Amino acid sequence: ASPNNKVIFSQYYNGKSATDLYNNQSLTKSVMSLLIGIAIDKGYISSVDEKLVKSFPESAKDTDKRKQQITIRQVMNQASGLWHEDLTRMDKYFALSDPYEYVLQQPLVSDPGKVFHYNNAATHILSVLLTKATGQTTLQFANKYLFGRMGIKDVEWGKMKDGYYDGCGLLSVQLHTTDMNKLSTLLLHKGNYKGKNVVPAKWIGQLLHPAVFYNTPWGFEGSTYALCFYHFSYKGDPITYGLGWGGQFTFVIPSKKAVVTVNESIDDATAIMASIVFLNRIFPLIYNGLN
C-alpha cells in the first residue's frame, strides 16, 4: 500500500482470492496491540505499565508476590515470566477449560521483565484483560473502535475454551489480506485512516519506538520485539513488522511510505521454511521494487 492507501500490487495464488479470509496466526497479537492502545486512550486501561493484578485480583492471593508486579507491557513483550505452553504438546493447552486462569495460577518460570520467552498462553490474557476492562468482548470492542471505523466487516475470530476471543493467534483472527494491510497502514499514518484518528498517535509512537525491547530469534536475524511487534533495520531502513506462523507477515516501511502484507498457507511441516524463504528471497525483491 502506498501513502494514500492505494494498493499498488496484489496477487493471489493456488486458487485463493481477495474474498478469502486468511488465518493470521500471531498477527493476532499485533491486532491485539492496536486494541490495547485504543483501550488506554479511552481510559479503560490506565497505561501499558498497569499491573495485571488490577484486572485479576486473584493474583494478589498468590504466595508468589512477584505475580503482583507483572505488567501489561511485560506480557506484550513476551517477558512476563508466566507459565508458557509446551509447543510440542499444544493439545494439553487446548484441552484446558480455563486457560487464562491456569496460566496465572502456575509457578512463574522467570522474574517478570527479565527474560524474553515467546508465550502464546500469556498473550491470550490480553484478550481477557481487555474484556474485563471494557465490559465488551474483544470482537465487540474491535468492531466498535477499530474494524468498524475502517470498514472491515468480514472477520472470523476463534474463542478459547474459557469463552474469551483468542488473544495470541493459536485460534486466530481471520481477515482478508487487504484488511490486515489496511490495519498496518495505521502505523504509517500516526493512527489515522482516511482522516479519522483510529489509534492514538502516542500509541503508534510507542509501537514504532518502544522504550523497552528484547532480542528475538524469530523473523529477520537480529530483530527485536516489543508490544507485539518486531523491529529490524533493513539496508539502514527501520522496519516494524508483525509475524505469524507459516509465513503471515505485515511490514511497515516508513522510508518507503509502504506497507506489505502477506498470507501463506499454514502447514506445520513447511511453516518455518516458508517464512525463511519469504524473508531471504522474496522480501528483498519486493523491497527493491519499492520507490
Side-chain angles (χ1 to χ4, degrees):
S2 62
N4 58 3
N5 290 327
K6 179 183 177 183
V7 175
I8 57 175
F9 178 79
S10 178
Q11 182 68 52
Y12 295 85
Y13 303 90
N14 301 314
K16 296 294 184 179
S17 73
T19 61
D20 286 300
L21 293 174
Y22 294 93
N23 185 337
N24 280 298
Q25 296 283 283
S26 283
L27 291 183
T28 302
K29 295 180 176 69
S30 299
V31 175
M32 282 303 309
S33 181
L34 297 175
L35 295 176
I36 292 292
I38 294 171
I40 291 171
D41 184 58
K42 301 292 180 188
Y44 291 112
I45 298 170
S46 60
S47 81
V48 75
D49 293 310
E50 180 177 296
K51 293 179 172 59
L52 292 191
V53 71
K54 181 176 180 181
S55 293
F56 305 98
E58 59 270 29
S59 295
K61 302 172 185 175
D62 199 289
T63 54
D64 189 342
K65 300 307 177 186
R66 293 178 299 171
K67 288 186 179 179
Q68 297 181 31
Q69 302 306 313
I70 299 172
T71 65
I72 296 171
R73 183 194 299 273
Q74 289 166 349
V75 173
M76 297 180 74
N77 285 353
Q78 309 293 346
S80 65
L82 289 167
W83 177 91
H84 49 79
E85 75 287 357
D86 181 350
L87 292 175
T88 65
R89 285 296 315 277
M90 291 304 299
D91 55 333
K92 177 183 176 183
Y93 177 67
F94 280 126
L96 296 172
S97 61
D98 57 346
Y100 89 83
E101 291 180 342
Y102 182 87
V103 173
L104 291 173
Q105 291 166 0
Q106 295 309 296
L108 293 181
V109 297
S110 59
D111 288 338
K114 297 297 183 185
V115 179
F116 176 92
H117 195 294
Y118 201 78
N119 190 338
N120 289 301
T123 312
H124 171 59
I125 290 173
L126 295 174
S127 179
V128 184
L129 183 148
L130 185 72
T131 299
K132 287 177 175 289
T134 66
Q136 304 168 60
T137 70
T138 299
L139 183 54
Q140 285 173 337
F141 187 83
N143 282 335
K144 183 174 183 179
Y145 292 114
L146 183 62
F147 299 154
R149 300 196 68 208
M150 300 181 72
I152 297 173
K153 299 177 181 178
D154 295 336
V155 181
E156 290 184 7
W157 202 327
K159 284 183 178 179
M160 303 298 279
K161 283 192 174 180
D162 53 19
Y164 292 93
Y165 286 97
D166 166 37
C168 64
L170 291 176
L171 297 178
S172 305
V173 59
Q174 299 198 30
L175 300 163
H176 298 307
T177 304
T178 50
D179 284 340
M180 187 66 228
N181 198 74
K182 197 185 293 185
L183 291 171
S184 297
T185 64
L186 292 169
L187 275 71
L188 202 62
H189 304 314
K190 298 181 179 179
N192 277 272
Y193 178 73
K194 291 187 175 180
K196 292 180 285 190
N197 183 250
V198 179
V199 178
K202 182 179 179 181
W203 182 249
I204 296 298
Q206 290 185 61
L207 297 184
L208 295 174
H209 307 287
V212 182
F213 54 86
Y214 296 80
N215 294 327
T216 172
W218 317 118
F220 286 114
E221 186 176 350
S223 289
T224 59
Y225 188 93
L227 301 175
C228 300
F229 282 93
Y230 296 80
H231 302 272
F232 181 68
S233 180
Y234 189 84
K235 296 187 176 180
D237 286 338
I239 294 177
T240 297
Y241 65 104
L243 181 161
W245 179 252
Q248 323 317 313
F249 291 105
T250 187
F251 303 91
V252 180
I253 314 171
S255 65
K256 301 286 189 180
K257 297 183 175 61
V259 172
V260 178
T261 302
V262 177
N263 285 117
E264 298 188 57
S265 63
I266 314 294
D267 184 340
D268 286 352
T270 59
I272 294 175
M273 185 53 66
S275 292
I276 292 173
V277 168
F278 184 85
L279 290 173
N280 292 342
R281 295 173 57 183
I282 301 175
F283 180 82
L285 297 176
I286 296 174
Y287 176 87
N288 290 336
L290 295 170
N291 293 327

